[in-house]
Amino acid sequence: AAAAAAVAGAGTVVGAAAVKAEAAASVSKEVVGRKYASGWWTQFALLTRRSYWSMTREKANNIAVFAQTIFFAILLGLLWLREGSRGSSESVQSVTGILFFLLILQAFSCTFGIIFLFPAERLVVLKERSSRLYHVGAYFFSKSVSEFPRTLILTLLFCLATYFMVDLRAGASHFFSFFVIVLMSTMASEGLAYCVSAIASNPQQAGALAPVFIVTSFLFCGFLVEFSAIPVWLRWLNYVSFIKYGFALVMQNQFLDNDLSLVGCRPDSFCPKTGEEVLEFYGVNGMSYWTNFVLLLTLVVGFRLIAYMILRRKGPKYDLSV
C-alpha cells in the first residue's frame, strides 16, 4: 500500500510538472506569436523621440559635458598654442603629441556617457521587449541616432578650439577633414562603449570593463609600441584599434605633401624636410589615406553591429526579432 501511494504521489508530481511545462510552453508560444502593435519604423521613430527628450531633460549632465569639452579644448589649445604655425621640423613632435592626445581625450569623454546606458535601462527594456512593445533593433538604433546630434556638436566645438588655437595646417579642406576624422574616431569609441554597455549586466560591471577595451585600443595603436615589437599572437589587436586608423588619418591630413622648414632644428635631433619623412618615422605611411578612412568607417559600423547582436542575445529567450 505504501509503495502504491508513493507511486501515485510521484505520478502526481510528474503530472503537475508536465502541466506547468505545457503552460509555460503555451505562454511562450503565445508571446512569440503575438504581433507588434506598430511597424519597425514607427517603433524606431517613437523610441528615437523618447530617447532624445530623455537626453534633453538631463540639463545638469548636458551642461557638465559641454563645460568639460570646452575646458579641455581650451586647455589643450593653450598648452600647444600656435605650435603648428611654425611649420618646422622642430615642432613635429609637439604637433604629433597633440594629434594623438586629442583622439584619446575624445574617446574617453564620449565613452563614459554611454557605458552605463543599457545596464541602467536593462530591467525596463526586458519587460517592454517581453510585452512585444518594440524590436530590439528599433531600440538600439534609436539610441545611436538620438546620441548623434550631441556627439556632433561636442566634436565640432572641440575641433574648432583646438585646431585654430594650435594653428594646425591651413586650409578649409584640411580643417573639415580633421573634423570628420575626429568625429569618426569618436563614433568608433562610442561603438566600443556600446559593446561594453551591452555586455554588462549592471553599471558596476560596465565601469570595470570599459577601461579594458579602451586602453587596449590605445596600447596597440602602433604609436606607443611599434608594431614589430608587439608579440605575434597579440598583433591582431592592432588591426581592430580605432586609434590606429584615426591617428594615421590626422597625421596624413597634417603632413602629407607638406614641406617643413629646418630653421631651429638641432643637428642631433630628428629633422625631417618633408611631411612624408614624418609619416615614415611614425609608421603611419603603410596605407593610403582612403584605406585608413574605409577601415575606420568599418570599425564605426562593425562595433555597433556587434553591440546590437550582443543586446539581441541577452534579451528574452523567445525574442528572436530584429
Side-chain angles (χ1 to χ4, degrees):
V7 171
T12 303
V13 172
V14 171
V19 171
K20 288 182 179 179
E22 185 178 353
S26 64
V27 171
S28 178
K29 290 179 181 179
E30 180 185 352
V31 174
V32 172
R34 189 186 305 165
K35 294 183 178 180
Y36 292 94
S38 57
W40 194 95
W41 288 105
T42 302
Q43 297 169 20
F44 171 75
L46 293 173
L47 288 169
T48 301
R49 190 182 347 177
R50 185 178 77 172
S51 298
Y52 177 77
W53 286 115
S54 176
M55 182 180 65
T56 55
R57 284 198 298 266
E58 299 173 351
K59 293 183 179 180
N61 180 55
N62 289 328
I63 292 173
V65 170
F66 274 86
Q68 173 187 289
T69 299
I70 295 172
F71 172 78
F72 279 115
I74 294 175
L75 181 62
L76 293 183
L78 291 174
L79 286 174
W80 280 274
L81 188 63
R82 299 189 61 79
E83 280 290 334
S85 63
R86 292 192 288 169
S88 64
S89 300
E90 190 180 18
S91 64
V92 166
Q93 289 186 336
S94 296
V95 173
T96 302
I98 178 63
L99 292 177
F100 181 72
F101 189 74
L102 66 85
L103 292 177
I104 294 178
L105 186 60
Q106 275 295 94
F108 268 113
S109 298
C110 72
T111 296
F112 290 101
I114 291 176
I115 58 173
F116 304 116
L117 186 64
F118 297 140
E121 299 181 354
R122 178 177 172 78
L123 295 178
V124 174
V125 172
L126 286 176
K127 182 178 179 180
E128 292 177 342
R129 286 176 62 186
S130 299
S131 301
R132 309 288 281 181
L133 292 181
Y134 48 76
H135 295 81
V136 62
Y139 168 72
F140 175 79
F141 291 109
S142 70
K143 288 293 183 184
S144 296
V145 170
S146 61
E147 288 284 341
F148 179 73
R150 182 167 64 180
T151 301
L152 180 69
I153 295 172
L154 289 173
T155 305
L156 180 59
L157 290 174
F158 184 80
C159 289
L160 283 170
T162 54
Y163 197 90
F164 292 107
M165 289 184 71
V166 178
D167 203 1
L168 295 174
R169 192 171 183 178
S173 62
H174 292 295
F175 168 75
F176 284 110
S177 296
F178 174 81
F179 166 64
V180 172
I181 294 165
V182 175
L183 178 63
M184 287 179 58
S185 297
T186 303
M187 292 180 67
S189 179
E190 286 182 344
L192 202 54
Y194 278 123
C195 290
V196 173
S197 186
I199 292 171
S201 299
N202 54 63
Q204 290 76 19
Q205 286 185 10
L209 288 173
V212 175
F213 286 83
I214 303 300
V215 173
T216 299
S217 187
F218 297 158
L219 291 176
F220 289 91
C221 69
F223 179 72
L224 300 176
V225 181
E226 292 185 4
F227 180 78
S228 58
I230 300 175
V232 176
W233 57 281
L234 288 176
R235 287 182 181 177
W236 64 274
L237 291 168
N238 176 263
Y239 298 108
V240 294
S241 169
F242 66 92
I243 294 292
K244 166 188 169 72
Y245 305 110
F247 179 63
L249 284 168
V250 292
M251 287 288 287
Q252 289 172 337
N253 183 63
Q254 178 67 24
F255 292 108
L256 194 62
D257 299 325
N258 190 11
D259 293 332
L260 302 172
S261 170
L262 296 178
V263 176
C265 190
R266 298 188 302 273
D268 58 342
S269 61
F270 175 54
C271 297
K273 298 179 181 179
T274 64
E276 283 72 15
E277 292 181 37
V278 177
L279 299 180
E280 183 178 0
F281 179 80
Y282 286 102
V284 292
N285 62 337
M287 292 183 290
S288 68
Y289 179 92
W290 288 109
T291 301
N292 284 310
F293 187 91
V294 171
L295 290 173
L296 181 58
L297 181 61
T298 301
L299 292 183
V300 172
V301 177
F303 286 152
R304 278 168 166 76
L305 290 178
I306 293 172
Y308 159 69
M309 293 303 298
I310 295 171
L311 202 63
R312 183 182 176 189
R313 293 282 297 177
K314 292 190 69 174
K317 294 182 179 179
Y318 47 77
D319 187 2
L320 301 178
S321 62
V322 296

